[in-house]
Amino acid sequence: MSQRRPLVAANWKMNGTLASLRPLLASVCKGIANGVKAEVAICPPYVYLGEVGRLLEQTGIALGAQNLARQDAGAYTGEIAAAMLKDYHCRYVIVGHSERRTLYGETDTVVAEKFVRAVGNELKPILCIGEYLEEREAGDTENVLARQLDTVIEKAGIAAFADAVIAYEPVWAIGTGRTATPEQAEEVHAFIRLRLARHDDKIADQLRILYGGSVKAANAKELFNMADIDGGLIGGASLQADEFLAICRAA
Ligand code: PGA
């Protein structure tokens, strides 16, 4: 099995203002300097990318965006293109978060188009996939994940996954305080890896698959100890420096 360096990515979502985010970031940067082995990324709201990017210089922490447009440029008021994120030195971009899918109507096809744009602009997509509670209860988890994944593989090609990260985020676990058990998560992560291995063994083996959904300091270690869980995508807990640092240390 290949050595996959764990990644812990903070998804700040639409939280905070400069007044609260500056001290949060200062504490995180200070804490990361002491013995965190995982790769760490921060995904602030678009308008703070410049400021956060400056503060992250020389820290080894990567910058990421939470979304991008599926077009390259043009009359798309309010949208942000991949090339613009590249200008701000983003390394990562979250693609297809369940909040984008549910609240903003992003279909599997739209998500796949965004993934293609990201990779085409040398941004590493963090592709989010996950099932609703009803789907899990109906025994449909694997079908849903296969559909979400296959649409992207079809559009982007398997080679594009060499520069991607996948985040498994069961929708019922996001922001609810209800986490998947390590065994439930591992089962799905192994399924995702196998699905990719059908196309390319090596890429599947090297790909980092993060877990997301109510990860906190108290449950991070047992999740990250599972064979196919290579870090986490952290929402709520990334807004508290101590919690987030503890999660980074657990990875
Ligand atoms: P949460 O969010 O950690 O607050 O559950 C995770 C995410 O939405 O990426």
Side-chain angles (χ1 to χ4, degrees), residues 132-174:
Y132 287 101
L133 185 59
E134 309 82 81
E135 294 168 331
R136 172 163 283 267
E137 286 172 345
D140 259 345
T141 300
E142 292 191 349
N143 290 335
V144 170
L145 294 169
R147 189 201 72 220
Q148 292 175 338
L149 212 49
D150 291 352
T151 311
V152 180
I153 297 172
E154 237 164 72
K155 244 201 165 65
I158 191 68
F161 282 79
D163 283 316
V165 174
I166 290 180
Y168 167 55
E169 299 208 306
V171 182
W172 47 272
I174 296 178

Side-chain angles (χ1 to χ4, degrees), residues 11 13 97 99 169 173-175 213-215 233-236:
N11 176 8
K13 306 192 181 181
H97 190 280
E99 285 148 19
E169 299 208 306
I174 296 178
S214 299
V215 178
L233 181 55
I234 320 299

